[in-house]
């Protein structure tokens, strides 16, 4: 039958992707068009023979029926159940062969998978969670990690990765805080863009999530309404998406579940079409977050039935319904035939979908389901694990240290706490073992050392007591834990989270918190162990910052790991023993009060401590904070800058010297302080940073070239402007230091007339590091 179709023009690789798509659309029936706008949730058959048995039970449709007119996407064939990677690749190839053979045009499906902490497949390397990316302050390393993830996806026949998450943390109680990169839009944007470059550079479509406002939900509850003003949306929420599109080249965007001021993102034409496409110039695909189109009917109540929901989503700008065929199936077809939905909207979405398939080679005559042989598919190898270890080492944050760390050789060490011997405490909720759930008959599928195993390899005679569970109120283990601590020279006390989905964990999607106390009775365990008088090193393995109020001040040291991945146990053990010098910085502030919420560092003066409120939101440890086992001295560089044209740039800098006895890395942070503006501004906000590794005694000049666009904000008329007036560029080791005791401050005057800027503004502050010899 395929031979009867005039295929020459849309198969012609000399034409542009858009031209090929436009040539194909008139040849297609309505059913064939709509089939390209849906995904089907499939699971690979463990035998390698195609879609998994009982597929209809999962997808709600018969496989033969759903592929009869073609198919837009295959949803998560590797991320549904444990399947050997080689068998999974063969099964996917067999499924694609069926799609090509049965449908009239023989177009394969675009395959997508989750890849937030690595390819979310059994036996795939698990990298640190996104908060750890932010803690590294190392976009170059994140790009390298993403490139490796992208290559593993591509080798298995996957075309699209559903990452990165670019939601800026607004309320730490939100369960998906662990999936975010941090609480600052510049950090999220630069690191997120680096991840996109890595994935896209491997030939895989990166999908930006969740557009937009999801993280600002009321009360930190998943799917709760997000009530914010236009300025918060424009100045905090949207910039990372702009950066990932312009600086990263992402080719797909996923809508948010959020509703802002009563308008769900999935039905927001102003967001998905006028802003994203007409103002920003995005030409890729918008894919629906799972079931979000149906939610317009079921949860939001803005659509009376499935067909209404489909029409709203299409008009807003959603191109593909995921994860499986629903409103874009029979309801949409009937709505188009009845005139309820204009077929031109279907054609508009189809043109984008087919153009992307053309870019991926899926319209080519010589397309193959796998770039190589299925036998070559390896998702976890030594090089990938070493890369995961590098990132884990850079992401561990030494938050407090009175001198007890690194642990001195020969000291008696007790390891206590519910996450100390729990390998799963290293993994975020989108790692395969946590996301898909336990399959005891298959095992974890990877080597995943716990902190106890890794630290025990470095410290002989390490004693261990769990003390309590991660959740629950059982304190029967307290006595043994307290005794172990009392009989030791130092106690490493490991507390934190277990990631999961929808209530199966203490962190993760649908695992929101009512306050920021440690789960279960862990706080009581900490107090009991501190009361022994034994020096305590408090280790947090968590997906959010928990409050470290005055009752925890007695800890001699605090170390934070934000789900540091498959090799996180080793990285932590190396930091604790001094084999690795910690260099991570907090991507989120650590609160002092478990209930003084929400309060990230991006606050105007009235969001800080004031005399008119009894609540002090000052964090225990601010965004950007982190310590080292060496010391660094900073000196301002005289760049002679005084005036800063509103359409120009300025160069400022500091000299940084490693004044300690060992190599280390400093993270130089540059903040903007705008004391008087037409709208209230954060006291300080990050505009640049540089990670600076230095040998003992070595110094470096760190200079930032800052475009005036970095000082822009949304003014009183709702447009982004650069406003003339006095500002300061402040250097700091954290946002807190930049606020109260900056080691270098450059006062500047923005000169000229008020200037409006748009999507073409300069987004990046560039850093130049010039190293000098040891002093």
């Amino acid at each position: 039958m395929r031979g009867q179709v005039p295929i020459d023009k849309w198969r012609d690789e000399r034409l542009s992707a858009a031209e090929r798509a436009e040539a194909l659309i008139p040849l297609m029936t309505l059913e064939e068009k709509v089939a390209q706008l849906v995904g089907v949730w499939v699971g690979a058959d463990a035998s390698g023979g195609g879609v998994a048995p009982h597929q209809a039970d999962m997808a709600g449709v018969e496989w033969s029926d759903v592929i009869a007119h073609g198919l837009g996407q295959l949803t998560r064939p590797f991320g549904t159940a444990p399947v050997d990677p080689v068998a999974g690749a063969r099964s996917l190839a067999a499924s694609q062969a069926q799609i090509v053979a049965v449908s009239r045009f023989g177009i394969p499906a675009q395959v997508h998978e989750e890849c937030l902490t690595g390819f979310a497949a059994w036996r795939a390397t698990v990298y640190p969670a996104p908060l750890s990316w932010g803690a590294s302050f190392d976009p170059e390393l994140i790009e390298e990690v993403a490139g490796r993830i992208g290559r593993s996806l591509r080798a298995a026949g996957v075309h699209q990765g559903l990452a990165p998450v670019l939601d800026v943390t607004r309320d730490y109680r939100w369960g998906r805080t662990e999936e975010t990169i941090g609480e600052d839009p510049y950090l999220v944007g630069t690191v997120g863009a680096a991840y996109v470059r890595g994935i896209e550079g491997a030939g895989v479509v990166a999908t930006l999530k969740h557009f937009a406002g999801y993280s600002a939900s009321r009360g930190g509850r998943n799917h709760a309404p997000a009530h914010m003003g236009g300025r918060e949306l424009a100045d905090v929420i949207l910039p990372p998406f702009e950066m990932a599109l312009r600086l990263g080249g992402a080719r797909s965007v996923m809508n948010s579940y959020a509703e802002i001021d009563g308008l769900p993102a999935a039905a927001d034409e102003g967001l998905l079409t006028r802003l994203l496409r007409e103002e920003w110039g995005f030409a890729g695909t918008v894919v629906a977050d799972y079931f979000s189109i149906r939610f317009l009917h079921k949860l939001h109540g803005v659509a009376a039935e499935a067909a209404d929901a489909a029409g709203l989503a299409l008009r807003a700008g959603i191109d593909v319904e995921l994860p499986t065929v629903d409103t874009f199936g029979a309801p949409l077809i009937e709505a188009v035939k009845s005139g309820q939905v204009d077929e031109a909207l279907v054609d508009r979405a189809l043109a984008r979908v087919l153009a992307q398939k053309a870019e991926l080679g899926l319209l080519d005559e010589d397309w193959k389901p796998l770039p190589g042989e299925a036998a070559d598919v390896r998702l976890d190898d030594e090089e990938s694990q070493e890369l995961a270890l590098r990132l884990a080492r850079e992401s561990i944050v030494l938050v407090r240290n009175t001198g007890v760390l690194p642990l001195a050789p020969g000291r008696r060490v007790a390891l206590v706490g519910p996450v100390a011997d729990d390998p799963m405490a290293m993994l975020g909720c989108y790692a395969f073992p946590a996301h898909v759930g336990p399959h005891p008959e298959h095992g974890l599928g990877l080597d995943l050392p716990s902190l106890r195993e890794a630290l025990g390899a470095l410290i002989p005679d390490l004693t261990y007591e769990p003390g309590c569970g991660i959740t629950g109120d059982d304190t029967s283990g307290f006595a043994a834990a307290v005794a172990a601590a009392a009989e030791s020279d130092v106690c490493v006390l490991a507390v934190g989270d277990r990631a999961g989905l929808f209530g199966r964990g203490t962190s993760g999607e649908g695992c929101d918190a009512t306050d920021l106390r440690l789960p279960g009775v862990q706080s009581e365990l900490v107090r009991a162990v501190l009361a022994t008088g034994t020096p305590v090193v408090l280790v947090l393995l968590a997906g959010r910052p928990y409050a470290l109020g005055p009752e925890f001040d007695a800890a001699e040291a605090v170390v934070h790991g934000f789900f540091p991945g498959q090799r996180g146990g080793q990285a932590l053990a190396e930091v604790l023993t001094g084999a690795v010098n910690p260099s991570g910085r907090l991507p989120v502030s650590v609160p002092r009060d478990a209930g003084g919420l929400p309060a990230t560092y991006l606050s105007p003066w009235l969001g800080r401590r004031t005399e008119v409120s009894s609540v002090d939101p000052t964090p225990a440890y601010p965004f950007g904070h982190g310590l080292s086992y060496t010391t660094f001295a900073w000196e301002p560089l005289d760049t002679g800058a005084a005036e800063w044209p509103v359409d120009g740039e300025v160069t400022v800098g500091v000299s940084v010297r490693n004044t300690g006895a060992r190599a280390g890395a400093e993270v130089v942070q540059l903040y903007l302080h705008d004391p008087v503006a037409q709208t209230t501004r954060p006291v300080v906000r990050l505009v640049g940073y540089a990670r600076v590794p230095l040998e003992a005694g070595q110094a470096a000049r760190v200079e930032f070239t800052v475009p005036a666009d970095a000082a822009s904000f949304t003014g009183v008329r709702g447009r982004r402007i650069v406003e003339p007036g006095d500002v300061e560029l402040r250097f700091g080791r954290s946002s807190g230091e930049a606020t109260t005791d900056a080691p270098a401050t450059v006062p500047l005057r923005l000169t000229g007339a008020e200037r409006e800027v748009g999507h073409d503004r300069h987004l990046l502050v560039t850093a130049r590091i010039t190293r000098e010899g040891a002093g």
Side-chain angles (χ1 to χ4, degrees):
M1 183 176 291
R2 290 175 56 199
Q4 302 172 12
V5 179
I7 63 173
D8 290 345
K9 191 170 183 180
W10 64 271
R11 291 283 196 194
D12 190 346
E13 297 177 42
R14 295 170 298 179
L15 299 178
S16 70
E19 289 171 331
R20 294 172 70 182
E22 291 299 331
L24 178 56
I25 291 172
L27 308 177
M28 303 175 78
T29 66
L30 176 60
E31 288 76 10
E32 288 167 336
K33 291 177 180 181
V34 171
Q36 291 295 321
L37 307 186
V38 297
V40 172
W41 199 324
V42 301
D45 185 355
S47 71
V51 296
H54 312 298
Q55 185 61 52
D57 297 338
M58 178 187 303
V61 292
E62 286 293 336
W63 174 249
S64 58
D65 293 341
V66 79
I67 66 174
H69 299 290
L71 182 62
Q73 294 226 4
L74 285 170
T75 294
R76 305 201 63 195
F78 289 87
T80 302
V83 175
D84 178 82
V86 172
R90 288 174 176 157
S91 176
L92 176 57
S95 297
Q96 290 278 41
Q98 294 172 26
I99 295 168
V100 169
V102 172
S103 58
R104 190 164 67 103
F105 291 95
I107 302 171
Q110 189 164 324
V111 183
H112 75 261
E113 285 285 358
E114 299 285 359
C115 58
L116 194 63
T117 59
F119 189 172
W122 193 54
R123 293 185 176 175
T125 302
V126 180
Y127 295 86
L131 274 182
S132 288
W133 309 355
S136 76
F137 277 75
D138 192 345
E140 290 78 12
L141 179 56
I142 301 307
E143 183 173 347
E144 188 175 350
V145 166
R148 195 158 194 92
I149 294 170
R151 289 191 292 276
S152 70
L153 291 165
R154 190 72 175 155
V158 177
H159 310 104
Q160 182 169 0
L162 303 188
V165 170
L166 296 179
D167 296 295
V168 178
T169 301
R170 302 301 284 163
D171 188 330
Y172 313 128
R173 294 172 297 181
W174 190 46
R176 303 191 79 166
T177 295
E178 65 166 73
E179 298 178 48
T180 71
I181 296 168
E183 68 183 49
D184 178 86
Y186 187 79
L187 178 67
V188 174
T190 49
V191 172
Y195 182 92
V196 169
R197 287 194 297 272
I199 288 285
E200 290 281 355
V204 173
V205 175
T207 307
L208 310 184
K209 305 193 308 188
H210 304 89
F211 194 67
Y214 191 20
S215 58
S217 60
R218 179 183 289 172
R221 295 178 59 248
N222 199 39
H223 288 214
H227 288 277
M228 73 179 90
R231 290 182 182 82
E232 181 180 354
L233 180 67
D235 292 347
V236 178
I237 300 299
L238 294 178
F241 292 94
E242 291 185 80
M243 297 179 81
L245 291 172
R246 285 185 52 202
L247 306 179
R251 286 181 285 172
S252 187
V253 170
M254 175 178 278
N255 72 278
S256 163
Y257 287 127
E259 59 177 75
I260 301 174
D261 196 23
L263 183 58
D268 191 345
E269 187 175 1
L271 181 70
L272 300 182
T273 295
R274 288 194 292 275
L275 176 68
L276 180 63
R277 296 193 183 278
E278 295 173 10
E279 291 186 33
W280 290 5
F282 177 66
T285 57
V286 175
V287 299
D289 204 347
Y290 287 11
F291 308 109
S292 63
I293 301 177
R294 171 62 73 168
F295 289 165
L296 294 175
H297 164 52
K298 291 289 189 179
L299 299 183
H300 295 292
V302 296
E305 57 185 7
D308 294 331
L312 283 174
L314 269 180
R315 278 189 288 273
I318 291 179
D319 303 314
V320 181
E321 181 175 38
L322 299 180
T324 200
V325 58
D326 182 21
T327 70
F328 275 21
L332 177 58
I333 292 172
E334 291 305 314
V336 171
K337 288 181 177 179
S338 69
Q340 181 181 350
V341 173
D342 189 345
E343 189 170 352
L345 292 175
V346 172
D347 290 350
R348 182 180 71 171
L350 179 61
R352 297 163 184 162
V353 168
L354 292 178
Q356 191 160 95
K357 285 195 171 188
E359 291 173 357
L360 293 167
L362 299 179
L363 301 189
D364 296 350
E365 194 80 64
D366 60 352
W367 170 83
K368 295 179 181 179
L370 289 173
E373 296 295 328
D376 297 331
V377 177
R378 295 184 61 200
L379 305 183
D380 185 35
D381 53 30
E382 186 175 346
E383 292 81 5
S384 299
Q385 290 188 31
E386 284 300 311
L387 195 56
L389 178 59
R390 277 178 55 198
L391 178 53
R393 286 167 172 163
E394 289 194 7
S395 71
I396 303 298
V397 185
L398 179 59
V399 176
R400 173 179 169 85
N401 187 25
T402 63
V404 68
L405 291 180
L407 297 170
R411 303 192 77 183
R412 294 173 301 166
V413 178
L415 178 62
V416 169
V419 303
D421 197 30
D422 183 1
M424 294 295 289
M426 303 295 166
L427 305 185
C429 75
Y430 270 75
F432 184 89
H435 194 72
V436 176
H439 288 80
E441 69 277 15
H442 293 280
L444 292 177
L446 70 165
D447 181 27
L448 185 59
S450 68
L451 176 58
R452 180 188 182 188
E453 183 179 347
L455 192 60
L458 300 177
I459 299 178
D461 304 320
L462 180 74
T463 61
Y464 163 71
E465 290 290 342
C468 65
I470 295 173
T471 57
D473 57 5
D474 184 2
T475 60
S476 61
F478 276 25
V482 167
E487 295 167 4
S488 65
D489 296 322
V490 62
C491 176
V492 176
L493 176 53
V495 295
D497 282 321
R498 167 72 72 89
L501 291 172
F502 305 112
R504 296 201 304 266
T506 60
S507 173
E509 186 173 357
C511 298
D512 310 314
T514 56
D515 59 40
L516 294 179
R517 284 187 286 263
L518 286 163
V521 294
Q522 293 185 76
S523 293
E524 289 89 332
L525 176 66
V526 173
R527 287 193 286 270
V529 172
L530 287 172
T532 65
T534 298
V536 171
V537 177
L538 184 63
V539 175
L540 294 107
L541 284 167
R544 62 165 63 86
Y546 285 102
L548 297 179
E551 66 269 32
F552 298 129
D553 286 347
E556 298 288 332
V558 177
V559 177
H560 220 306
F562 296 100
F563 290 143
Q566 183 173 343
R567 300 288 288 274
Q570 179 182 341
L572 275 164
E574 290 171 338
V575 166
L576 293 173
T577 58
V580 166
N581 192 353
S583 59
R585 300 294 185 265
L586 289 173
V588 286
S589 303
V590 174
R592 178 164 290 272
D593 186 338
L597 300 167
T600 72
Y601 95 96
L602 288 173
S603 297
W605 282 118
L606 286 183
R608 304 295 182 103
R609 181 181 181 179
T610 69
E611 296 179 355
V612 297
S613 173
S614 59
V615 175
D616 181 1
T618 304
Y621 302 98
F623 169 85
H625 169 78
L627 304 176
S628 172
Y629 293 148
T630 189
T631 55
F632 298 93
W634 294 27
E635 294 290 339
L637 295 176
D638 184 7
T639 57
E643 293 194 347
W644 189 6
V646 294
D647 58 354
E649 60 185 29
V650 67
T651 298
V652 297
V654 290
S655 173
V656 179
R657 183 176 296 278
N658 182 346
T659 54
R662 62 179 296 175
E666 181 68 298
V667 177
V668 177
Q669 300 162 47
L670 182 65
Y671 292 85
L672 176 74
H673 171 62
D674 190 348
V676 179
Q678 59 184 256
T679 64
T680 62
R681 307 296 303 133
V683 178
V684 293
R685 64 179 176 90
L686 186 72
V687 294
Y689 62 88
R691 183 182 177 90
V692 188
L694 294 171
E695 297 296 324
Q698 189 179 29
R701 292 170 57 95
V702 184
E703 296 175 290
F704 293 92
T705 299
V706 189
D709 291 354
S712 66
F713 62 94
T714 302
V716 293
R717 292 181 297 278
R719 306 296 294 177
R720 180 174 289 277
I721 60 168
V722 179
E723 184 182 35
D726 293 329
V727 296
E728 292 178 355
L729 288 173
R730 298 177 176 181
F731 288 90
R733 297 174 179 87
S734 70
S735 61
E737 187 178 67
T739 300
T740 60
D741 190 25
T745 296
V746 182
L748 296 161
R749 183 168 186 80
L750 282 160
T751 59
E754 180 179 296
R755 173 173 158 260
E756 187 173 308
V757 298
H759 181 57
D760 58 350
R761 70 188 186 279
H762 294 284
L763 297 174
L764 198 62
V765 172
T766 57
R768 181 170 178 263
I769 301 170
T770 307
R771 288 178 175 79
E772 304 169 4

